[in-house]
Amino acid sequence: MAVLPILRWPAPRLSQVCEKIGTIDAEITRLAEDMLETMYAAPGRGLAAPQVGLLRRIFVMDIGWKDGAPAPMVLINPEIQWHSDNVETGDEGCLSIPGVTAGVARPAEVRMCWTDLSGKAVIETLPGFAARCAQHELDHLDGLVTFDRVPPEQRAALEAAYSP
Ligand code: NI
């Protein structure tokens, strides 16, 4: 396993749509392991492939490891099947935009489907911070960062305060 360098916004690869993954081969398994190691080392609770420069639809997350035992998740080709009408605004940081916290409005609950590292199809309803984290990481696979999820005035202020 290896800790990979994390791209910082405005690296162009953070604004591109990632490609679906076909076969989960040794390369993808290695990538997932490296991404988890990179996320824990950062330290962070989520990391998407474009953040380490690979334009593939995979992200890792572990929302609770800072407070308890690690529970790593690897989500391949994730999609949102359903989201609640209830929207909540919460603070989000991003390993690719260090030092910036943005208040982002998102559905409070989502049902997401994905393929895990063993190739099994998974469907889970994610509440609370898990929903927020998963939506943030899924955004990365579509070339979106927190700056793209806030109103223009707020974006301008956040960008002004950010130094890569
Ligand atoms: Ni991020």
Side-chain angles (χ1 to χ4, degrees), residues 7 27 32 42 49 56 59 64 68-69 71 76 94 105 113 115 117-120 129-130 136 139 150 155 163-164:
L7 296 181
E27 184 197 347
R56 310 300 302 277
F59 70 77
I76 296 167
C94 180
C113 60
T115 303
L117 209 44
S118 70
K120 189 171 63 117
F129 188 77
H136 174 114
D139 268 357
V150 298
R155 178 182 183 133
S163 51

Side-chain angles (χ1 to χ4, degrees), residues 67-89:
D67 312 304
M73 293 171 71
V74 176
L75 294 85
I76 296 167
N77 300 331
E79 288 178 28
I80 291 176
Q81 286 192 327
W82 167 89
H83 65 80
S84 63
D85 292 333
N86 179 25
V87 169
E88 284 175 1
T89 299

